[in-house]
Amino acid sequence: MSAELISGTRIAEGIRQELAGRIGQLKAKGVTPGLVMVRVGEDPASVSYVSGKSKTSAELGIYSETQVYPENAGEKELLGRIAELNSNLRFHGILVQLPLPNHISEDKVLNAIDPLKDVDGFHPVNVGRMLIGEPYFLPCTPHGVQELLMRSGNSPEGKHVVICGRSNLVGKPLMAILVQKKAGANATVTICHTGTKNMAQITRQADILVAAMGSPKVITADMVKEGAVVIDVGVNRIPDATKKTGFRLVGDVDFDAVKEKAKAITPVPGGVGPMTVTMLMVNTVRAAEMRLAAQRQA
Ligand code: GUN
């Protein structure tokens, strides 16, 4: 039996339609949500991600600007720019695309962003608030995974979720989100990582298996329980001479084999990717709504 496909493209579209109503309400009050994206250097994946975010902003009526710095930009210059953006009222959200070049400290840069404008949810204040279950903003990719599960009828509540990968971008925050005693969460969560022994033995216990390791096709069919829900966060570029670009995208899951065992599975592309961009839009609108509410209280 072949698994049901969980379409992130379709689910993201539904969320964007809901968001259009909220943006309309903000505009009626004279507020256009604003997002500024900072990119350093010309990493092809970063260029593509940022232009996707910019295009989606425009489609939704969110004002966006992309500020590009050369690869050799200095850390001080970047920190100065972030200080300016923190006080620029035109922008409700600030996103610094990662990874940054090695000579710039990602920690210093992320710590410099005003937590109330941190639409990526990477500032330590926001990481802490997420962990205690009182978030301003949830990080976009793990929040997108939670929405994909809920909106595809695969609630994580009471389920054993096994996450492969412990990154600060995906694995660790997804654990913090799904373990909360809240609707849409309340799962038993296990994290596997490069130090895990007998990973297949653990992944086979998953009702919901999330692959976020960043290696192509490492989740094979023998690692998946019959009837599991499989979410593939991986985006790996592998050479493909038949493509104009010279590469194609594959996930961390061996899709063709795993789809014969799973109950439901996300494709790559068209699964988690469109959700990440959409949750960034959700956070930008939330930032604008929070500022408006604070102004009305003042
Ligand atoms: N690089 C890869 N994913 C992300 C993301 O979600 N946000 C930012 N800022 N950079 C990234």
Side-chain angles (χ1 to χ4, degrees), residues 129-279:
R129 294 191 70 104
M130 168 179 64
L131 197 62
I132 62 172
E134 292 182 17
Y136 289 149
F137 305 108
L138 293 173
C140 304
T141 300
H143 193 194
V145 170
Q146 183 188 35
E147 287 289 336
L148 263 186
L149 289 170
M150 292 304 293
R151 290 172 186 252
S152 63
N154 295 295
S155 168
E157 292 180 46
K159 298 284 163 52
H160 184 192
V161 179
V162 177
I163 302 166
C164 295
R166 58 176 154 189
S167 70
N168 289 337
L169 251 60
V170 183
K172 280 192 262 180
L174 184 60
M175 168 194 71
I177 291 169
L178 294 183
V179 85
Q180 301 295 327
K181 192 169 184 174
K182 287 187 178 183
N186 221 13
T188 302
V189 183
T190 302
I191 291 212
C192 294
H193 46 72
T194 47
T196 301
K197 296 201 167 66
N198 300 321
M199 194 184 296
Q201 206 178 315
I202 296 165
T203 57
R204 277 197 293 268
Q205 295 170 34
D207 302 313
I208 297 171
L209 180 59
V210 181
M213 289 166 291
S215 299
K217 299 187 184 188
V218 285
I219 299 293
T220 47
D222 60 301
M223 299 169 77
V224 178
K225 179 170 79 175
E226 194 81 42
V229 173
V230 179
I231 306 291
D232 192 350
V233 185
V235 186
N236 306 289
R237 291 180 170 205
I238 61 168
D240 184 340
T242 69
K243 301 276 180 198
K244 235 179 19 200
T245 53
F247 69 85
R248 71 189 154 94
L249 296 180
V250 299
D252 290 355
V253 176
D254 181 3
F255 182 87
D256 289 333
V258 170
K259 80 176 193 313
E260 299 306 323
K261 252 180 137 176
K263 164 177 170 267
I265 187 167
T266 60
V268 177
V272 175
M275 295 300 292
T276 297
V277 181
T278 298
M279 300 324 286

Side-chain angles (χ1 to χ4, degrees), residues 95-142:
L95 175 143
V96 178
Q97 187 65 27
L98 304 178
L100 291 170
N102 287 336
H103 67 277
I104 301 177
S105 157
E106 285 187 356
D107 278 356
K108 271 196 201 158
V109 169
L110 296 179
N111 287 9
I113 298 172
D114 178 348
L116 289 169
K117 289 192 171 187
D118 170 36
V119 284
D120 257 328
F122 293 161
H123 189 285
V125 164
N126 285 323
V127 176
R129 294 191 70 104
M130 168 179 64
L131 197 62
I132 62 172
E134 292 182 17
Y136 289 149
F137 305 108
L138 293 173
C140 304
T141 300

Side-chain angles (χ1 to χ4, degrees), residues 57-123:
S57 301
E59 283 166 6
L60 279 170
I62 292 175
Y63 173 76
S64 87
E65 261 181 41
T66 302
Q67 303 190 351
V68 180
Y69 283 83
E71 181 77 23
N72 62 358
E75 186 180 273
K76 233 179 163 174
E77 186 185 1
L78 198 57
L79 291 172
R81 173 46 58 108
I82 287 169
E84 277 171 37
L85 294 172
N86 280 341
S87 52
N88 183 338
L89 293 176
R90 187 69 206 78
F91 299 115
H92 302 90
I94 302 171
L95 175 143
V96 178
Q97 187 65 27
L98 304 178
L100 291 170
N102 287 336
H103 67 277
I104 301 177
S105 157
E106 285 187 356
D107 278 356
K108 271 196 201 158
V109 169
L110 296 179
N111 287 9
I113 298 172
D114 178 348
L116 289 169
K117 289 192 171 187
D118 170 36
V119 284
D120 257 328
F122 293 161
H123 189 285

